[in-house]
Amino acid sequence: MQLLLHQARKKTGYFLTIFLVLLISQVYAQTINIATAADLAKIGKDPNYPISGNYVQTADISLSAYANWTPIDEFTGSYNGQYHTISDLTIAGSGKSYQGLFEQISSSGSVKNLKFVNVNINLEGDARNVGTLVGRCRGKISRVAVLSGNVKAYYYVGGVVGTLLQSGGIMSECHSHAVIEGNSYVESYSFPNGTGGTIQVTNPSADIGGLIGVIQNGASLTDSYATGSVAGYENVGGLIGYNTANGSVFTKSYASGAVSAASGDDGGLVGLNGGDGSENYWNVTTTGQNTAAWHNSNLGTGKTDAQMKQQATFITWDFTNVWEMVEGVSHPRLRWLTTSTLPVLLSNFDILKQAGGVKLLWQTVAEHDNREFVIYKSGDGKQFERLTQIASAGNSNTVKDYSFFDQQPLMGNNYYKLIQIDHDGKETELGVKVVNFPLSAIGIQIYPNPTVDMVKISFGENGYTTLMVTDINGKIVERRSIQSGQSSVEVSLNNRPSGTYLLHLNGPDGRFTEKILKK
């Protein structure tokens, strides 16, 4: 009997253990939402946000409240940004290594579908393994982009990743437009035996890449590109600083940002190369580089700026699922970026009522293949007429300011719609603003003019008693009496032929005549 009870207890303990293991596994496998900067900062530091968690970002996040971000510890879980943005990542200091949003990503870790804007990583001294997303990665990264900002450190420095290594280190469909720079720092050493003398030693920066600082030991990169400028002392590349031997490979990628190394050890694609690369390209015009790498440069093909804008240059690339481009206008760009990212990142859009008119002000922090801005105007917020167009910067990762002054605002509400147009003609609405303007400051208004149908005539407190519209030959097409206190009327020309018509206002204050154009 005792033996049977003992066996039963053993079985009960066994099943209880299995139950607890399954329960814990279920808890850790569940999805954890990241909606704020505070949520992000809890990863690896709060028991409810384990380093091995399965995370999903549910909103754009600004890290502006963190003056100096502390990287998340070595990450073993999964993070899906769902194409949301993390902005204002700032890291500063001296001698800090393994820096980025994450310190490291392990072989079991993965990050995907995430964008960064306005990155500011500025590290002095012996700062190694530094990138916007992560300092060092052995895991998988896909569809991560750094759209604007700068990254500065000493060794193994990249726009997205500092070091990508081992066979588990895989990157695909990634992009960086950040400015990357090596910090070459000076150290002072005292002579021994208390002599009081010192010697200064310069530590030159190395392995600086537009996308990755160093790729090594079997890691791989595919379908990615870097467009920001890259500078350092040695081993400086438009895409990768140092591509080592031991099976490291990259393919179907390109670089187009300016590249410069003080030592001359630089290349359009890679600074120093010992690994493999194929079907890669770099822009010889914009990078200022005639070779893919200063050593062992059989990695890709240099093309002129005009050739980089021709799809025929990229013979084997997938322009159905991965890449797209506007022939003769733009370099290839990743499809996921153009469908998930606005071509213009707008920091503000303001409207100011001033003496004699309305001033529109807007500011961008990044622009991608932006052809122009168009402003539309309306008196009711429903029917808009094209007012003007403004030339744009085109491509930029710096702050750009724009303005327009409307000298003929309408009486009452004025609605202004700001539209951005790509080089391929695609339009994106950036916002609508409204301001109320009294007629006493602007006089008589006819809007829209030209018109296709209805025209609104505003005359405010002027003492007109009759309104008449005639064709160019003097034939009356509309006559109305203006009631006391009435400040505007609407006239339809919908059934009238195209051409020029004349508006006549009469009253004790005199006469007023103006042309109306019917399209």
Side-chain angles (χ1 to χ4, degrees), residues 1 11 141 144 156 173 182-183 186 236 256 297 359 405 419 493 500:
M1 185 67 178
K11 289 182 179 180
I141 299 172
V144 172
Y156 299 166
E173 295 188 53
N183 73 4
V186 177
V236 180
S256 62
S297 62
K359 189 171 186 178
F405 189 75
I419 299 289
L493 297 176
T500 301

Side-chain angles (χ1 to χ4, degrees), residues 194-245:
T195 60
T198 60
I199 183 172
Q200 290 187 329
V201 177
T202 299
N203 297 281
S205 62
D207 303 341
I208 315 295
L211 194 74
I212 305 171
V214 60
I215 176 172
Q216 62 185 36
N217 299 335
S220 64
L221 170 73
T222 186
D223 291 311
S224 300
Y225 65 115
T227 55
S229 63
V230 193
Y233 183 81
E234 61 185 0
N235 301 347
V236 180
L239 194 70
I240 302 167
Y242 180 20
N243 181 35
T244 73

Side-chain angles (χ1 to χ4, degrees), residues 469-477 499-502 515-517:
V469 177
T470 67
D471 64 17
I472 196 67
N473 298 314
K475 181 181 178 180
I476 299 173
V477 299
T500 301
Y501 294 83
L502 297 175
K515 292 181 180 179
I516 301 175
L517 299 179

